[in-house]
Amino acid sequence: QLQLQESGPGLVKPSETLSLTCTVAGGSISSSGYNWDWIRQSPGKGLEWIGSIHSSGNTYYNPSLKSRVTISKDTSNNQFSLGLSSVTAADTAVYFCARVVTVYGPWVPFDYWGQGTLVTVSS
Amino acid sequence: AIQMTQSPSSLSASVGDRITITCRASQGIRNDLGWYQQKPGKAPKLLIHDASSLQTGVPSRFSGSASGTDFTFTIDSLQPEDLATYYCLQDNTYPWTFGQGTKVEIK
């Protein structure tokens, strides 16, 4: 059974960089046919796709965040990470990591999710 | 970005009722649409992908359909455990975008 777990600081100061890691257990992020994504949800609000890192290593970001976002992966530790620079209070949200299946025909987005981690931006 | 307009924003129904939620895409997305259920304090759960494909392990009372840029999600015979917020997601074109959500309450 695949499991994803987000980790990182729960409090980040304005203008600093938010850094989160998603650790994957029960499967390898090195396997072709899977992408690894970040999604966030502001308190009481809807869901926003942040970006994706493909099995090729290519990354894709939401243009609304593109200049501030970096997604990378560490295959030796079976983890992928999110960096979001110059944060403001508007970046306060629950951040989720999730998997996309691309190996079987049409993609299956977000079949597995982490539990989510709340990041608050405040001084 | 493709806009996903989801309606209604909330609904209240009785156990056993059939409910329907719709999402309209601002442009064609083929059938690249999923439906998710989110319970309070939990991560969303994939119910339907490719507009009408039931995810493994999901009860058959959940279903989805498509007609052009209009997508419909149905729960036949609403159950108490279906209390949740439901979201659509278009995965046709980056940036992927979600609908605004529909909060389902049980009368």
Side-chain angles (χ1 to χ4, degrees):
Chain A
Q1 177 81 347
L2 192 74
Q3 292 184 316
L4 289 77
Q5 177 70 60
E6 304 88 351
S7 60
L11 181 65
V12 181
K13 290 183 168 56
S15 79
E16 295 189 344
T17 296
L18 176 161
S19 296
L20 295 175
T21 296
C22 182
T23 301
V24 178
S28 173
I29 67 166
S30 302
S31 299
S32 60
Y34 302 97
N35 299 339
W36 305 93
D37 287 34
W38 288 95
I39 302 108
R40 71 180 183 178
Q41 185 170 35
S42 301
K45 299 289 181 63
L47 297 157
E48 179 181 29
W49 178 79
I50 298 172
S52 179
I53 186 163
H54 288 199
S55 55
S56 63
N58 291 341
T59 53
Y60 301 84
Y61 302 132
N62 194 322
S64 68
L65 302 168
K66 187 172 183 178
S67 61
R68 300 193 291 131
V69 175
T70 303
I71 297 176
S72 60
K73 58 181 175 178
D74 177 357
T75 54
S76 61
N77 288 307
N78 219 36
Q79 298 173 330
F80 63 107
S81 298
L82 169 69
L84 182 65
S85 63
S86 304
V87 297
T88 69
D91 295 309
T92 294
V94 175
Y95 287 77
F96 296 99
C97 56
R99 186 182 81 165
V100 179
V101 181
T102 66
V103 66
Y104 308 115
W107 291 9
V108 179
F110 312 150
D111 63 334
Y112 284 94
W113 295 67
Q115 65 186 28
T117 187
L118 174 63
V119 178
T120 301
V121 178
S122 175
S123 56
Chain B
I2 296 174
Q3 305 299 317
M4 301 301 299
T5 303
Q6 185 172 342
S7 62
S9 57
S10 65
L11 66 87
S12 181
S14 300
V15 172
D17 283 354
R18 183 184 197 195
I19 69 162
T20 298
I21 299 168
T22 62
C23 266
R24 173 168 289 174
S26 60
Q27 64 190 71
I29 58 170
R30 301 183 307 181
N31 281 343
D32 298 331
L33 184 112
W35 291 97
Y36 297 79
Q37 175 193 66
Q38 186 178 34
K39 297 184 177 181
K42 300 293 187 181
K45 174 186 177 182
L46 175 64
L47 301 178
I48 302 282
H49 60 89
D50 301 310
S52 60
S53 296
L54 194 66
Q55 177 68 353
T56 303
V58 173
S60 59
R61 66 179 181 275
F62 297 100
S63 64
S65 64
S67 178
T69 57
D70 292 335
F71 299 85
T72 300
F73 171 78
T74 300
I75 306 177
D76 285 320
S77 188
L78 189 69
Q79 298 301 302
E81 60 266 30
D82 299 335
L83 168 71
T85 300
Y86 294 83
Y87 294 92
C88 64
L89 165 77
Q90 70 81 16
D91 63 300
N92 177 264
T93 304
Y94 286 142
W96 290 358
T97 45
F98 291 88
Q100 300 95 322
T102 297
K103 187 174 184 178
V104 173
E105 299 176 327
I106 310 295
K107 282 182 184 175

